[in-house]
Each structure stands twice: as structure tokens, then as C-alpha cells.
Amino acid sequence: KQQKQNDFEFVLNDQHTYTSLNDFKKTRARQLCHEWLQKQKNLRTLEGQLETLRDEYAKANRTRQRALTQQILDLEHRVEELTNEVYATAKAIRQAEQ
């Protein structure tokens, strides 16, 4: 069997999981999904940066750790905000597609 390559996986409800922008019937939901995908990509990037800074912090001396502390805290805050945005956008997609 040949398996279909999914662009993404978005659970719309218990019966439907969308794997392409073309699966959406409503234009607004498709636009929101595009935003959702971009936010998820940005979130993965920020999480990678945060992991790198934490690794650097663990290996750094006290002076460097103090310098990294605020960067890490700022990035953690941004990751939290973006995570909330991702969830809110997913909710908006589900509402728009109804």
C-alpha cells in the first residue's frame, strides 16, 4: 500500500482529522489554519532556541549564567504566550469550520 503524505494533522473533532489545507471547507478556517501552522513553526523555533540557551547555561560559569538568565526568562515567557496563541487559533479554526 502507498501511504499518503500528510502536510499536517489537525483534529477538527472526534470524527474528522484534516491533513491538508484543501480539507477545509470554509475559507476563514483555511486562513486560520495557515496562521496556526506558522505559529507552530515559530513555537518549535523558539523552543529550540530555549533548549540551546539552557544547555549553554548549564555549561557556563556564574558570570555567563547571570547574563543568560534574563534571556531564558524572556524566551520562556514568549514560548508560553505563543503556546496559548496556538491553542486559541486551533479553537478559532474549529469554530470557523462548523
Side-chain angles (χ1 to χ4, degrees):
K1 287 183 181 179
Q2 187 177 2
Q3 218 173 8
K4 178 185 168 188
Q5 180 66 26
N6 297 336
D7 297 332
F8 57 86
E9 191 170 288
F10 181 82
V11 178
L12 185 66
N13 56 37
D14 290 341
Q15 290 81 33
H16 297 93
T17 299
Y18 289 178
T19 58
S20 168
L21 288 174
N22 295 329
D23 292 340
F24 289 94
K25 293 163 188 65
K26 305 282 176 75
T27 303
R28 179 68 182 142
R30 192 175 301 117
Q31 291 168 340
L32 286 168
C33 186
H34 183 72
E35 290 177 25
W36 177 75
L37 290 168
Q38 187 60 49
K39 287 178 183 182
Q40 282 195 314
K41 181 181 175 185
N42 294 345
L43 182 58
R44 285 190 300 273
T45 300
L46 288 178
E47 288 171 336
Q49 291 172 353
L50 185 56
E51 184 177 337
T52 300
L53 284 177
R54 286 176 173 160
D55 289 344
E56 186 180 339
Y57 181 93
K59 298 171 187 170
N61 61 34
R62 288 275 182 222
T63 305
R64 182 70 182 136
Q65 284 180 340
R66 281 192 287 272
L68 290 171
T69 299
Q70 192 58 49
Q71 284 180 277
I72 291 171
L73 290 173
D74 290 344
L75 208 46
E76 285 175 339
H77 180 69
R78 182 62 190 131
V79 165
E80 183 179 354
E81 285 178 341
L82 196 51
T83 299
N84 291 335
E85 289 176 27
V86 166
Y87 286 120
T89 305
K91 184 176 178 180
I93 292 168
R94 289 182 186 100
Q95 291 172 343
E97 188 66 4
Q98 288 182 6

